[in-house]
Amino acid sequence: MTVRGVLGRHDFRQLWIGDGISRLGSTVSMLALPLVALNALEAGAGQVGLLTVFESLAYLLVGLPAGAWVDRLPRRAVLLAADLGRAALLGSVPAAWMLDVLTLAQLYGVALGVGILSIFHGAAYQSYVPTLVGKEQLVEANARLEASNAVANWAGPGAGGLLVQWLSAPFAVVLDALSFVASAAFIGRIRAREARTPVSTDRRLGREIREGLRFVVGHPVLRGITMSTAILSLFGSMSGSMVIVLLSTDVGLSAGSIGLVFGAAGAAGLAGAALAPKVTARLGQGPALVTAVAVSALLGLVTPTVREGWLVWCFAVSNSLGIACAVVYRIIQVSFRQRLCPPELRGRVNGTVRFLVWGMMPIGGAVGTGLGAACSPRTALWVAACGALTAVLPLLLAGLPRMRALPDDRNDRPAADAPEAAAA
């Protein structure tokens, strides 16, 4: 049987399968590493929380230089090194536990190391996709990749919980390590090699980082989208730091019920990935981005109102729909950035965007935790929900509601209701 679309491309299929396996394995470690700290090392809540801080801290430490380094290297080699490196780091946890030498310091080092390698992997990964599929199939390719992510988020937490129960937390981490080995095996099967651009003899890291920053900040549409995404990341992290606390303490949901709520959101993400190409074709790229952000932010106002009874179901539905909108937004804006950016700058541009966007996560998490402790989790969630409403402003100021087709080149004028776009 002939496979059509991007999955018919051998090289993209290897990337897609490998990425899906590693994402599923990573959802196990999201549960397993904190449980290793709690159960095997008897860590306190604050010590466990530092695991997340160390992993997200990597975005602030190496987010910008990682993109510049990725542009100097073959992206396939970077992906392989990042996968194998993460496998080795995670594999050290059960090995140290069996030898009775595991410490919290090692767990923090593993979290930071995995975070750093994930940044390199992400910058190379998003830069590599256009090489494998071409501009005309980027939306479909990113939709396929987001679908894999949604499946992992949907099935992973439940499967991870069972594996931790059956195998114990340290041995469950082994599965994540093996998933990265499997990902490396599939990426190793990719046949395509990137055409190397001429390399300047005067390459300086600071200058290369500035080139990536200038590209992102200098393009009005890309700048507006990046600002909007950074705002969503900031206030989304504020909400994420307190929503489970609210559901568990104020609302009184069990761990299983909370898992079901967020499992439904993962299924909604899968639906969003499937609908993204259709929504883009129907509304146009600019209006689809604005609509996705606006609807997602408005749905977020439901979160601080959740209480016992039927309001829990309202939250579950609104959260799921918000995730679906977020996936649609992510597919469109990542595809736009990949089309817009010249190959020799992709690593730096992706690294810059990730630094500006994901660097907001530790800040938002810290602010949300502080507000929750000083006032209440519900107060923190109200601040986060109202703040997220401002994410639509950079898109409006950049004129995206009028752009059925976003520019494909840095020097292109945005297509605002062009006749050929309107006929699409």
Side-chain angles (χ1 to χ4, degrees):
M1 183 177 66
T2 302
V3 180
R4 296 184 178 181
V6 290
L7 292 184
R9 292 176 175 261
H10 172 273
D11 289 340
F12 176 79
R13 191 165 63 248
Q14 307 312 306
L15 182 70
W16 178 68
I17 295 172
D19 179 67
I21 294 172
S22 65
R23 285 182 188 269
L24 190 59
S26 294
T27 59
V28 176
S29 284
M30 287 174 61
L31 291 174
L33 279 180
L35 290 174
V36 169
L38 282 170
N39 299 333
L41 300 176
E42 299 181 348
Q47 292 172 313
V48 174
L50 280 175
L51 283 172
T52 303
V53 172
F54 271 97
E55 188 168 357
S56 59
L57 187 63
Y59 295 105
L60 293 176
L61 293 177
V62 300
L64 285 175
W69 284 322
V70 163
D71 278 338
R72 296 180 177 187
L73 301 167
R75 276 123 193 189
R76 177 175 170 274
V78 174
L79 294 174
L80 286 170
D83 276 343
L84 295 175
R86 288 183 290 182
L89 285 170
L90 290 165
S92 73
V93 173
W97 179 74
M98 290 178 66
L99 295 172
D100 199 25
V101 295
L102 182 64
T103 63
L104 275 173
Q106 179 180 343
L107 284 185
Y108 294 149
V110 168
L112 180 61
V114 168
I116 289 172
L117 289 173
S118 295
I119 291 172
F120 278 90
H121 185 277
Y125 173 80
Q126 290 189 345
S127 304
Y128 200 28
V129 172
T131 301
L132 302 182
V133 302
K135 287 186 176 183
E136 71 283 353
Q137 290 184 305
L138 281 175
V139 171
E140 182 190 352
N142 286 308
R144 293 285 187 182
L145 294 166
E146 282 296 331
S148 298
N149 188 34
V151 169
N153 290 335
W154 171 49
L162 290 174
L163 287 168
V164 168
Q165 281 185 266
W166 293 340
L167 301 176
S168 80
F171 285 109
V173 177
V174 173
L175 293 179
D176 192 13
L178 292 176
S179 75
F180 285 119
V181 173
S183 175
F186 279 100
I187 289 172
R189 289 168 51 85
I190 295 176
R191 301 165 184 159
R193 298 294 183 271
E194 294 174 283
R196 304 307 296 163
T197 54
V199 178
S200 169
T201 56
D202 183 22
R203 302 193 72 171
R204 297 180 183 177
L205 186 62
R207 179 182 299 171
E208 292 175 337
I209 290 173
R210 288 194 297 272
E211 287 175 354
L213 280 167
R214 278 198 299 268
F215 189 95
V216 173
V217 175
H219 193 285
V221 178
L222 183 56
R223 181 175 65 241
I225 291 174
T226 303
M227 290 176 62
S228 177
T229 313
I231 292 170
L232 291 173
S233 179
L234 174 67
F235 292 109
S237 299
M238 285 181 61
S239 178
S241 67
M242 286 291 105
V243 66
I244 292 180
V245 175
L246 180 72
L247 293 175
S248 178
T249 58
D250 286 25
V251 182
L253 291 184
S254 66
S257 298
I258 294 173
L260 287 174
V261 167
F262 288 104
L270 183 60
L275 290 173
K278 297 178 182 179
V279 171
T280 304
R282 177 78 174 178
L283 299 180
Q285 294 169 346
L289 283 174
V290 175
T291 301
V293 170
V295 172
S296 177
L298 289 171
L299 288 168
L301 293 172
V302 176
T303 302
T305 70
V306 63
R307 299 183 188 277
E308 285 186 85
W310 63 272
L311 285 174
V312 172
W313 294 105
C314 289
F315 165 72
V317 172
S318 67
N319 185 57
S320 297
L321 292 174
I323 293 296
C325 290
V327 169
V328 170
Y329 172 81
R330 190 157 54 241
I331 290 170
I332 298 172
Q333 62 97 0
V334 169
S335 301
F336 158 67
R337 189 166 71 243
Q338 290 169 338
R339 289 195 310 269
L340 179 72
C341 184
E344 66 276 9
L345 274 175
R346 282 180 187 147
R348 277 167 282 177
V349 169
N350 287 325
T352 298
V353 171
R354 282 169 169 258
F355 170 79
L356 296 173
V357 172
W358 291 19
M360 294 292 104
M361 292 172 63
I363 298 171
V367 172
T369 301
L371 275 175
C375 303
S376 70
R378 203 177 294 276
T379 299
L381 289 170
W382 272 119
V383 173
C386 293
L389 294 172
T390 64
V392 76
L393 294 178
L395 303 180
L396 297 177
L397 293 174
L400 266 74
R402 302 187 303 275
M403 299 180 193
R404 284 195 57 87
L406 299 179
D408 281 350
D409 184 85
R410 184 185 174 115
N411 299 315
D412 282 352
R413 297 180 67 114
D417 296 325
E420 61 272 20

PDB file of all heavy atoms in Angstrom, residues 55-75:
ATOM      1  N   GLU A  55      15.485  21.868  35.088  1.00  0.00           N
ATOM      2  CA  GLU A  55      15.264  21.542  33.685  1.00  0.00           C
ATOM      3  C   GLU A  55      14.905  22.781  32.878  1.00  0.00           C
ATOM      4  O   GLU A  55      15.414  22.987  31.779  1.00  0.00           O
ATOM      5  CB  GLU A  55      14.164  20.486  33.549  1.00  0.00           C
ATOM      6  CG  GLU A  55      14.022  19.968  32.136  1.00  0.00           C
ATOM      7  CD  GLU A  55      13.159  18.724  32.044  1.00  0.00           C
ATOM      8  OE1 GLU A  55      12.717  18.220  33.084  1.00  0.00           O
ATOM      9  OE2 GLU A  55      12.932  18.270  30.913  1.00  0.00           O
ATOM     10  N   SER A  56      14.021  23.635  33.418  1.00  0.00           N
ATOM     11  CA  SER A  56      13.626  24.839  32.687  1.00  0.00           C
ATOM     12  C   SER A  56      14.715  25.901  32.709  1.00  0.00           C
ATOM     13  O   SER A  56      14.776  26.763  31.820  1.00  0.00           O
ATOM     14  CB  SER A  56      12.321  25.401  33.265  1.00  0.00           C
ATOM     15  OG  SER A  56      12.461  25.719  34.634  1.00  0.00           O
ATOM     16  N   LEU A  57      15.609  25.859  33.707  1.00  0.00           N
ATOM     17  CA  LEU A  57      16.712  26.814  33.777  1.00  0.00           C
ATOM     18  C   LEU A  57      17.622  26.716  32.565  1.00  0.00           C
ATOM     19  O   LEU A  57      18.261  27.689  32.161  1.00  0.00           O
ATOM     20  CB  LEU A  57      17.512  26.564  35.057  1.00  0.00           C
ATOM     21  CG  LEU A  57      18.621  27.558  35.406  1.00  0.00           C
ATOM     22  CD1 LEU A  57      18.029  28.939  35.650  1.00  0.00           C
ATOM     23  CD2 LEU A  57      19.385  27.071  36.629  1.00  0.00           C
ATOM     24  N   ALA A  58      17.661  25.551  31.951  1.00  0.00           N
ATOM     25  CA  ALA A  58      18.515  25.347  30.785  1.00  0.00           C
ATOM     26  C   ALA A  58      18.170  26.319  29.659  1.00  0.00           C
ATOM     27  O   ALA A  58      19.063  26.744  28.912  1.00  0.00           O
ATOM     28  CB  ALA A  58      18.382  23.906  30.294  1.00  0.00           C
ATOM     29  N   TYR A  59      16.889  26.687  29.523  1.00  0.00           N
ATOM     30  CA  TYR A  59      16.493  27.589  28.440  1.00  0.00           C
ATOM     31  C   TYR A  59      17.126  28.969  28.614  1.00  0.00           C
ATOM     32  O   TYR A  59      17.487  29.625  27.639  1.00  0.00           O
ATOM     33  CB  TYR A  59      14.975  27.701  28.377  1.00  0.00           C
ATOM     34  CG  TYR A  59      14.323  26.401  28.011  1.00  0.00           C
ATOM     35  CD1 TYR A  59      13.665  25.640  28.974  1.00  0.00           C
ATOM     36  CD2 TYR A  59      14.386  25.909  26.718  1.00  0.00           C
ATOM     37  CE1 TYR A  59      13.087  24.424  28.646  1.00  0.00           C
ATOM     38  CE2 TYR A  59      13.813  24.695  26.381  1.00  0.00           C
ATOM     39  CZ  TYR A  59      13.164  23.960  27.353  1.00  0.00           C
ATOM     40  OH  TYR A  59      12.606  22.757  27.023  1.00  0.00           O
ATOM     41  N   LEU A  60      17.268  29.415  29.852  1.00  0.00           N
ATOM     42  CA  LEU A  60      17.894  30.709  30.102  1.00  0.00           C
ATOM     43  C   LEU A  60      19.414  30.635  29.967  1.00  0.00           C
ATOM     44  O   LEU A  60      20.057  31.603  29.566  1.00  0.00           O
ATOM     45  CB  LEU A  60      17.521  31.203  31.501  1.00  0.00           C
ATOM     46  CG  LEU A  60      16.042  31.555  31.725  1.00  0.00           C
ATOM     47  CD1 LEU A  60      15.792  31.925  33.174  1.00  0.00           C
ATOM     48  CD2 LEU A  60      15.605  32.686  30.803  1.00  0.00           C
ATOM     49  N   LEU A  61      19.991  29.476  30.283  1.00  0.00           N
ATOM     50  CA  LEU A  61      21.438  29.345  30.272  1.00  0.00           C
ATOM     51  C   LEU A  61      22.013  29.205  28.865  1.00  0.00           C
ATOM     52  O   LEU A  61      23.034  29.835  28.539  1.00  0.00           O
ATOM     53  CB  LEU A  61      21.865  28.137  31.124  1.00  0.00           C
ATOM     54  CG  LEU A  61      21.608  28.235  32.627  1.00  0.00           C
ATOM     55  CD1 LEU A  61      22.022  26.939  33.313  1.00  0.00           C
ATOM     56  CD2 LEU A  61      22.362  29.415  33.225  1.00  0.00           C
ATOM     57  N   VAL A  62      21.390  28.359  28.027  1.00  0.00           N
ATOM     58  CA  VAL A  62      21.990  28.056  26.721  1.00  0.00           C
ATOM     59  C   VAL A  62      21.031  28.251  25.551  1.00  0.00           C
ATOM     60  O   VAL A  62      21.353  27.874  24.427  1.00  0.00           O
ATOM     61  CB  VAL A  62      22.551  26.610  26.685  1.00  0.00           C
ATOM     62  CG1 VAL A  62      23.617  26.411  27.752  1.00  0.00           C
ATOM     63  CG2 VAL A  62      21.435  25.583  26.864  1.00  0.00           C
ATOM     64  N   GLY A  63      19.870  28.837  25.801  1.00  0.00           N
ATOM     65  CA  GLY A  63      18.883  28.978  24.727  1.00  0.00           C
ATOM     66  C   GLY A  63      19.410  29.724  23.518  1.00  0.00           C
ATOM     67  O   GLY A  63      19.195  29.309  22.372  1.00  0.00           O
ATOM     68  N   LEU A  64      20.118  30.837  23.756  1.00  0.00           N
ATOM     69  CA  LEU A  64      20.636  31.632  22.634  1.00  0.00           C
ATOM     70  C   LEU A  64      21.864  31.010  21.971  1.00  0.00           C
ATOM     71  O   LEU A  64      21.888  30.834  20.751  1.00  0.00           O
ATOM     72  CB  LEU A  64      20.944  33.056  23.111  1.00  0.00           C
ATOM     73  CG  LEU A  64      19.729  33.956  23.349  1.00  0.00           C
ATOM     74  CD1 LEU A  64      20.168  35.283  23.944  1.00  0.00           C
ATOM     75  CD2 LEU A  64      18.957  34.184  22.063  1.00  0.00           C
ATOM     76  N   PRO A  65      22.904  30.649  22.726  1.00  0.00           N
ATOM     77  CA  PRO A  65      24.073  30.065  22.048  1.00  0.00           C
ATOM     78  C   PRO A  65      23.795  28.712  21.404  1.00  0.00           C
ATOM     79  O   PRO A  65      24.443  28.358  20.415  1.00  0.00           O
ATOM     80  CB  PRO A  65      25.111  29.929  23.172  1.00  0.00           C
ATOM     81  CG  PRO A  65      24.349  29.994  24.442  1.00  0.00           C
ATOM     82  CD  PRO A  65      23.165  30.860  24.158  1.00  0.00           C
ATOM     83  N   ALA A  66      22.811  27.960  21.914  1.00  0.00           N
ATOM     84  CA  ALA A  66      22.515  26.647  21.320  1.00  0.00           C
ATOM     85  C   ALA A  66      22.124  26.786  19.862  1.00  0.00           C
ATOM     86  O   ALA A  66      22.546  25.997  19.009  1.00  0.00           O
ATOM     87  CB  ALA A  66      21.405  25.949  22.096  1.00  0.00           C
ATOM     88  N   GLY A  67      21.308  27.795  19.541  1.00  0.00           N
ATOM     89  CA  GLY A  67      20.899  27.991  18.157  1.00  0.00           C
ATOM     90  C   GLY A  67      22.070  28.288  17.243  1.00  0.00           C
ATOM     91  O   GLY A  67      22.144  27.799  16.115  1.00  0.00           O
ATOM     92  N   ALA A  68      23.017  29.110  17.735  1.00  0.00           N
ATOM     93  CA  ALA A  68      24.202  29.431  16.927  1.00  0.00           C
ATOM     94  C   ALA A  68      25.054  28.193  16.702  1.00  0.00           C
ATOM     95  O   ALA A  68      25.568  27.960  15.603  1.00  0.00           O
ATOM     96  CB  ALA A  68      25.010  30.531  17.612  1.00  0.00           C
ATOM     97  N   TRP A  69      25.222  27.370  17.740  1.00  0.00           N
ATOM     98  CA  TRP A  69      26.028  26.156  17.580  1.00  0.00           C
ATOM     99  C   TRP A  69      25.363  25.170  16.627  1.00  0.00           C
ATOM    100  O   TRP A  69      26.035  24.497  15.850  1.00  0.00           O
ATOM    101  CB  TRP A  69      26.266  25.511  18.952  1.00  0.00           C
ATOM    102  CG  TRP A  69      27.289  26.225  19.780  1.00  0.00           C
ATOM    103  CD1 TRP A  69      28.449  26.800  19.335  1.00  0.00           C
ATOM    104  CD2 TRP A  69      27.249  26.462  21.186  1.00  0.00           C
ATOM    105  NE1 TRP A  69      29.130  27.382  20.383  1.00  0.00           N
ATOM    106  CE2 TRP A  69      28.420  27.184  21.533  1.00  0.00           C
ATOM    107  CE3 TRP A  69      26.343  26.143  22.196  1.00  0.00           C
ATOM    108  CZ2 TRP A  69      28.691  27.578  22.844  1.00  0.00           C
ATOM    109  CZ3 TRP A  69      26.619  26.528  23.488  1.00  0.00           C
ATOM    110  CH2 TRP A  69      27.775  27.233  23.804  1.00  0.00           C
ATOM    111  N   VAL A  70      24.036  25.088  16.694  1.00  0.00           N
ATOM    112  CA  VAL A  70      23.318  24.184  15.807  1.00  0.00           C
ATOM    113  C   VAL A  70      23.528  24.568  14.355  1.00  0.00           C
ATOM    114  O   VAL A  70      23.646  23.706  13.470  1.00  0.00           O
ATOM    115  CB  VAL A  70      21.812  24.154  16.168  1.00  0.00           C
ATOM    116  CG1 VAL A  70      20.985  23.553  15.029  1.00  0.00           C
ATOM    117  CG2 VAL A  70      21.591  23.357  17.450  1.00  0.00           C
ATOM    118  N   ASP A  71      23.595  25.870  14.059  1.00  0.00           N
ATOM    119  CA  ASP A  71      23.812  26.320  12.684  1.00  0.00           C
ATOM    120  C   ASP A  71      25.209  25.985  12.179  1.00  0.00           C
ATOM    121  O   ASP A  71      25.468  26.020  10.976  1.00  0.00           O
ATOM    122  CB  ASP A  71      23.572  27.837  12.575  1.00  0.00           C
ATOM    123  CG  ASP A  71      22.093  28.164  12.429  1.00  0.00           C
ATOM    124  OD1 ASP A  71      21.329  27.281  12.003  1.00  0.00           O
ATOM    125  OD2 ASP A  71      21.703  29.297  12.764  1.00  0.00           O
ATOM    126  N   ARG A  72      26.128  25.671  13.067  1.00  0.00           N
ATOM    127  CA  ARG A  72      27.489  25.326  12.651  1.00  0.00           C
ATOM    128  C   ARG A  72      27.629  23.830  12.355  1.00  0.00           C
ATOM    129  O   ARG A  72      28.649  23.420  11.794  1.00  0.00           O
ATOM    130  CB  ARG A  72      28.474  25.694  13.766  1.00  0.00           C
ATOM    131  CG  ARG A  72      28.566  27.174  14.092  1.00  0.00           C
ATOM    132  CD  ARG A  72      29.570  27.384  15.218  1.00  0.00           C
ATOM    133  NE  ARG A  72      29.748  28.806  15.532  1.00  0.00           N
ATOM    134  CZ  ARG A  72      30.658  29.272  16.372  1.00  0.00           C
ATOM    135  NH1 ARG A  72      31.475  28.422  16.979  1.00  0.00           N
ATOM    136  NH2 ARG A  72      30.757  30.560  16.614  1.00  0.00           N
ATOM    137  N   LEU A  73      26.663  23.033  12.768  1.00  0.00           N
ATOM    138  CA  LEU A  73      26.805  21.577  12.730  1.00  0.00           C
ATOM    139  C   LEU A  73      25.726  20.932  11.872  1.00  0.00           C
ATOM    140  O   LEU A  73      24.650  21.511  11.683  1.00  0.00           O
ATOM    141  CB  LEU A  73      26.719  21.016  14.160  1.00  0.00           C
ATOM    142  CG  LEU A  73      27.755  21.528  15.159  1.00  0.00           C
ATOM    143  CD1 LEU A  73      27.342  21.144  16.578  1.00  0.00           C
ATOM    144  CD2 LEU A  73      29.129  20.965  14.826  1.00  0.00           C
ATOM    145  N   PRO A  74      25.970  19.727  11.362  1.00  0.00           N
ATOM    146  CA  PRO A  74      24.905  18.981  10.672  1.00  0.00           C
ATOM    147  C   PRO A  74      23.789  18.658  11.657  1.00  0.00           C
ATOM    148  O   PRO A  74      24.034  18.120  12.743  1.00  0.00           O
ATOM    149  CB  PRO A  74      25.615  17.699  10.197  1.00  0.00           C
ATOM    150  CG  PRO A  74      27.076  18.013  10.243  1.00  0.00           C
ATOM    151  CD  PRO A  74      27.264  18.999  11.341  1.00  0.00           C
ATOM    152  N   ARG A  75      22.557  19.007  11.302  1.00  0.00           N
ATOM    153  CA  ARG A  75      21.463  18.862  12.261  1.00  0.00           C
ATOM    154  C   ARG A  75      21.177  17.412  12.615  1.00  0.00           C
ATOM    155  O   ARG A  75      20.807  17.087  13.743  1.00  0.00           O
ATOM    156  CB  ARG A  75      20.211  19.536  11.699  1.00  0.00           C
ATOM    157  CG  ARG A  75      20.197  21.040  11.973  1.00  0.00           C
ATOM    158  CD  ARG A  75      20.070  21.851  10.738  1.00  0.00           C
ATOM    159  NE  ARG A  75      20.358  23.269  10.988  1.00  0.00           N
ATOM    160  CZ  ARG A  75      20.144  24.214  10.104  1.00  0.00           C
ATOM    161  NH1 ARG A  75      19.655  23.901   8.922  1.00  0.00           N
ATOM    162  NH2 ARG A  75      20.440  25.462  10.366  1.00  0.00           N
TER     163      ARG A  75
END
